[in-house]
Amino acid sequence: MALLEIDAVDTYYGRVHALQGVSLSIEEGEIVTLIGSNGAGKTTTLRTISGLTPASRGQVRLRGRDITHLPAAQIVGLGIGHVPEGRRIFHRMSVRDNLVLGAYRRKDREGIRRDQEHVLTLFPRVRQRLHQIGGTLSGGEQQMLAIARGLMSKPKVLLLDEPSLGLAPILVDQIFDIIRDINREGTTILLIEQNATKALTVSNRGYVLETGRIVKQGPTKMLLESPDVQRAYLGI
Amino acid sequence: MAILLVLFIPRAASDPSFFVQILVYGLANGAIYALIALGYTMVYGIIELINFAHGDVFTLGAFVSLPLIGAFGLTEGQSASLGLYAALLVIAIIVMLILGGVNVLIERIAYRPLRHAPRLAPLITAVGMSFILEGAMYIWRGANNIHYPDFLPAGRISLGGSASIGYKDLIVIALAVVFVVVLTTFINRSKLGKAMRATAQDQDAAQLMGIDINRTIAATFFIGAILAGAGGIIFGLYFNTVRFDLGFQAGLFAFTAAVFGGIGNIQGAAIGGLFIGLVKAYSDGYFTSQLTDVWIFSILILVLVFRPTGLLGMRVPEK
Ligand SMILES: Nc1ncnc2c1ncn2[C@@H]1O[C@H](COP(=O)(O)OP(=O)(O)OP(=O)(O)O)[C@@H](O)[C@H]1O
Ligand SMILES: [Mg+2]
């Protein structure tokens, strides 16, 4: 059984029909990339999974369990971490408090402490800024904090919405390295990226979203070689 | 402004005792405004609603405590004893819990359904809620001033000259300080406090952390009502008279205090409360109480126009 399944989902913002029968599934341990142009519905797909914008039709299932209409706050507790578009860290709180909030649903103090230590090892920059106020971090540091905070919930699946957006090339490489590390440690990843080539390179499979519909899917190799995908998303 | 100071300074200098006396009075008054202002600022901070009914929740605190005082068999003039203060404390706790419940209910039925409606809608509801609460208290106890029993010790400590500070003043100021310190610590340190701040800053992100924002907002209303309820009782004990529409003016003054301190900012609200209390005391003492409203609303307007983020507004950049 797939770890995470989205089954014929329709999602609306008021009258805007953002997702139109989107289906995708992710196996445990995979990295899956979702590509598509601006406004295709990538962010909406993640919001539908994490419960921020629940689907009107169709189902979202985690290990076969229907979570479509659970409140977002509960879905995190089941093991879906969502690092949202635009970082969305808490600007007026310390870096440490941001991390503490990431583990809001957890009760295992010892485990939280261990994970915080681990996360700070992954992101040494975040450790250096631990006592600073979130809003004073640079863009790249904020992005790292957002990922670190997402990991603090100890997710089985991590949803990453454009984690490299606006970062200097050297930081982009770092972020991709870390994504791979996190995955090796056992976290399944659903990734959205502008940088489609890089994203597909680290992924096992990919989906292409166009105006609210999945138009193509397959192993990354196939997508990277597809002329349509190359023309539309890889800038080749 | 300059003319005012010219009028004010010589008179203050000619009678320093009077000046100090007014200072004491202003601080005690301001402590009560601070307690009310905290509720305004917390609610505004989390859902950006100016909860006009908040001043009336404060009045309700005094009103609900009156029958409890009777039920506990406390009578004015009984000698101060540990038993008396223990009973008052129990009464205060009951009142705070009742008001907390009332305020959570108000949020649930009057504001939550409108959370995604245009801003004006909940604002109008809040004004309506204020009328409902005042109306209910009017029906309950009528339009006249109601005597509130005097339980606080009457002694005074001399401050030199003819100025003195009453035990009453000290108790009121000390209580307000304790509440502000406890609240600030709670908001900064506790898990719920962090959830409240996170919800105030970004509701979507808060939910992604696993924070139940409905519960967190309800908790904010609960805590705001606790402070307002305590403020109502303290007001009664200090001034010994209450009336159904007390919350109208007190609420507006406290709101000004919250704006002055930077709405959404806890310490700002406390400082703003003291400041407004002082302005009111000096205006009443040196000019005329009829002008007090004018000063205070001038402050409100000036702050809104020239420094809408208030004295201690949020200074951290929003990247
Ligand atoms: N809050 C909203 N209200 C109304 N429409 C929205 C809202 N958010 C998104 N949409 C619309 O839904 C569609 C999908 O948006 P979405 O944010 O999912 O796109 P995206 O693929 O993430 O785009 P981008 O690459 O620009 O981030 C777009 O047409 C967008 O205009
Ligand atoms: Mg997007």
Side-chain angles (χ1 to χ4, degrees):
Chain A
M1 184 198 307
L3 177 56
L4 180 66
E5 277 172 297
I6 297 145
D7 187 2
V9 152
D10 280 49
T11 301
Y12 293 81
Y13 294 101
R15 297 225 286 285
V16 178
H17 195 174
L19 297 186
Q20 308 176 15
V22 167
S23 297
L24 49 89
S25 84
I26 300 167
E27 302 294 327
E28 185 134 23
E30 279 190 305
I31 301 183
V32 172
T33 291
L34 191 55
I35 57 179
S37 33
N38 293 120
K42 306 180 296 293
T43 296
T44 309
T45 305
L46 299 197
R47 290 178 63 92
T48 299
I49 297 171
S50 62
L52 288 178
T53 313
S56 309
R57 277 187 296 277
Q59 266 196 351
V60 179
R61 288 187 294 268
L62 182 67
R63 292 217 167 97
R65 173 177 174 190
D66 179 8
I67 60 163
T68 321
H69 300 291
L70 290 184
Q74 216 166 311
I75 291 176
V76 201
L78 297 177
I80 298 182
H82 182 173
V83 180
E85 186 170 33
R87 303 159 191 148
R88 308 286 283 268
I89 61 155
F90 300 110
H91 290 264
R92 296 197 296 270
M93 297 175 85
S94 69
V95 169
R96 180 193 289 271
D97 279 351
N98 269 276
L99 293 176
V100 167
L101 282 168
Y104 189 80
R105 281 267 155 177
R106 294 173 62 183
K107 302 250 159 18
D108 54 326
R109 280 166 160 260
E110 192 45 43
I112 293 174
R113 219 180 43 82
R114 224 178 313 116
D115 286 344
Q116 178 169 326
E117 194 45 43
H118 178 60
V119 161
L120 292 176
T121 315
L122 280 176
F123 297 99
R125 288 280 281 279
V126 175
R127 189 195 293 278
Q128 283 169 20
R129 304 272 176 263
L130 205 52
H131 301 287
Q132 230 163 287
I133 297 295
T136 63
L137 300 195
S138 75
E141 289 165 347
Q142 291 191 12
Q143 186 62 64
M144 293 180 184
L145 174 56
I147 300 174
R149 184 182 68 175
L151 287 171
M152 288 300 293
S153 69
K154 209 176 181 181
K156 297 187 184 74
V157 192
L158 189 61
L159 315 176
L160 293 170
D161 198 336
E162 309 207 16
S164 77
L165 189 69
L167 302 189
I170 178 158
L171 278 184
V172 174
D173 290 340
Q174 266 184 40
I175 295 270
F176 277 104
D177 285 345
I178 288 169
I179 290 171
R180 229 179 301 200
D181 288 346
I182 295 168
N183 177 250
R184 261 193 227 111
E185 285 162 7
T187 309
T188 305
I189 287 171
L190 176 55
L191 177 65
I192 295 179
E193 261 301 330
Q194 290 288 321
N195 202 327
T197 317
K198 274 221 164 71
L200 287 171
T201 318
V202 301
S203 305
N204 305 96
R205 292 185 301 119
Y207 289 82
V208 180
L209 200 55
E210 246 170 48
T211 53
R213 296 169 207 275
I214 301 282
V215 293
K216 212 177 204 72
Q217 66 182 79
T220 42
K221 192 163 177 305
M222 181 200 111
L223 293 176
L224 283 167
E225 287 165 2
S226 145
D228 293 351
V229 174
Q230 285 181 352
R231 200 172 334 105
Y233 305 106
L234 304 180
I236 298 173
Chain B
M1 238 19 193
I3 299 170
L4 278 176
L5 285 178
V6 169
L7 283 172
F8 175 72
I9 291 170
R11 292 170 68 185
S14 72
D15 188 354
S17 296
F18 184 63
F19 181 86
V20 172
Q21 198 57 61
I22 299 285
L23 180 74
V24 168
Y25 177 72
L27 287 177
N29 233 312
I32 294 170
Y33 291 134
L35 287 178
I36 312 174
L38 289 170
Y40 270 109
T41 226
M42 285 169 61
V43 165
Y44 186 87
I46 203 157
I47 54 172
E48 300 192 355
L49 167 72
I50 299 166
N51 181 14
F52 280 110
H54 190 67
D56 304 300
V57 172
F58 155 80
T59 319
L60 195 59
F63 271 58
V64 171
S65 65
L66 278 169
L68 286 171
I69 288 171
F72 273 68
L74 306 185
T75 48
E76 194 160 23
Q78 82 184 83
S79 59
S81 65
L82 211 59
L84 170 68
Y85 293 119
L88 280 178
L89 183 67
V90 173
I91 289 169
I93 291 171
I94 297 174
V95 169
M96 292 193 275
L97 293 177
I98 292 174
L99 286 199
V102 168
N103 218 22
V104 167
L105 201 67
I106 290 176
E107 191 273 330
R108 185 73 189 79
I109 60 180
Y111 304 147
R112 192 185 299 181
L114 297 172
R115 203 174 288 159
H116 301 288
R119 283 277 193 89
L120 197 57
L123 208 61
I124 293 169
T125 318
V127 173
M129 214 57 235
S130 167
F131 287 150
I132 290 172
L133 288 177
E134 285 188 19
M137 289 188 284
Y138 173 82
I139 291 168
W140 183 15
R141 303 297 297 252
N144 296 325
N145 285 328
I146 304 165
H147 178 67
Y148 198 100
D150 189 4
F151 291 120
L152 298 182
R156 303 189 74 82
I157 302 165
S158 172
L159 294 174
S162 60
S164 65
I165 185 164
Y167 291 132
K168 256 185 162 181
D169 301 312
L170 283 175
I171 292 173
V172 169
I173 296 168
L175 282 174
V177 169
V178 168
F179 272 111
V180 170
V181 170
V182 169
L183 180 71
T184 315
T185 315
F186 173 80
I187 303 254
N188 285 333
R189 301 278 173 77
S190 72
K191 194 168 177 179
L192 178 57
K194 284 176 186 167
M196 285 164 62
R197 285 188 292 149
T199 306
Q201 287 172 46
D202 188 333
Q203 293 200 359
D204 276 355
Q207 293 187 71
L208 291 180
M209 302 300 107
I211 294 167
D212 179 338
I213 58 174
N214 284 332
R215 254 189 55 204
T216 309
I217 291 170
T220 307
F221 275 81
F222 190 87
I223 295 169
I226 283 183
L227 298 165
I233 297 175
I234 293 171
F235 182 96
L237 290 171
Y238 187 75
F239 290 103
N240 304 114
T241 171
V242 294
R243 204 172 64 194
F244 77 101
D245 62 351
L246 193 66
F248 181 70
Q249 197 205 41
L252 283 173
F253 282 16
F255 171 64
T256 306
V259 170
F260 179 81
I263 193 128
N265 184 315
I266 303 281
Q267 286 94 330
I271 294 169
L274 289 181
F275 175 74
I276 294 298
L278 289 173
V279 170
K280 174 171 159 38
Y282 282 108
S283 165
D284 288 358
Y286 282 90
F287 302 99
T288 152
S289 59
Q290 274 144 2
L291 276 179
T292 303
D293 285 4
V294 177
W295 301 140
I296 299 212
F297 297 126
S298 307
I299 292 171
L300 179 61
I301 291 165
L302 288 176
V303 172
L304 285 176
V305 171
F306 292 107
R307 202 174 154 78
T309 53
L311 192 66
L312 303 178
M314 306 303 179
R315 267 176 290 195
V316 174
E318 296 279 349
K319 266 193 199 153

